[in-house]
Amino acid sequence: MTDFSPEALSAIGPKEFTQLVKSTPDSKITEVMASEKRTKILDEVFNRMPTLFRADRAGDTATVIHWIITGGPQGASDTYETVIENATCTVTSTPVREPKLAMTMDGLTFLKIVSGTGNPVMLFMTGKIKTKGDVTLATTIPKLFNIPKG
């Protein structure tokens, strides 16, 4: 599968998504994430987050995370809010709560993180991910979700 589009993403599961990100050239992903298709792709990914959430690993975690995805059409950014509390995960594209952690990255970096094909520590160390707030929280995010291994 080489069609990196919102329609393709809605028809595949997490493992296939990982393979799609892994097999699509970075330049193609960057191109798509700078286009009008971006919002549908981001919505698709964020809408899946609650289904991939591991409540059994969350314990008493109570936090708000803002994901700021840069590189949209005309340089636009999109911000999504993930709230983890009471062993649940909710996501919205209209943030209303103060985040404990805000992470800023481009669309390619975001897709690499959520697909498990990018090393979050290396991406942070090389400046591809910028954080504000509780950096320690950023290191615990992967254990809270079923992220396929790239």
Side-chain angles (χ1 to χ4, degrees), residues 39 42-43 46 65-67 78-82 91-93 95:
T39 301
L42 290 174
D43 285 350
F46 279 103
I65 303 164
H66 285 185
W67 305 78
D78 295 286
T79 302
Y80 288 77
E81 180 177 88
T82 302
V91 178
T92 180
S93 60

Side-chain angles (χ1 to χ4, degrees), residues 67-141:
W67 305 78
I68 303 148
I69 316 300
T70 63
Q74 290 81 46
S77 293
D78 295 286
T79 302
Y80 288 77
E81 180 177 88
T82 302
V83 177
I84 298 170
E85 61 188 355
N86 302 318
T88 63
C89 172
T90 57
V91 178
T92 180
S93 60
T94 47
V96 294
R97 294 175 62 172
E98 189 66 30
K100 187 171 185 180
L101 170 68
M103 294 184 293
T104 303
M105 64 198 82
D106 64 28
L108 172 63
T109 300
F110 172 72
L111 292 178
K112 285 184 176 284
I113 295 298
V114 298
S115 67
T117 62
N119 180 327
V121 174
M122 288 301 294
L123 291 165
F124 173 77
M125 297 298 280
T126 58
K128 299 275 186 188
I129 300 173
K130 294 180 179 27
T131 61
K132 183 177 178 185
D134 186 354
V135 178
T136 306
L137 173 59
T139 64
T140 65
I141 293 171

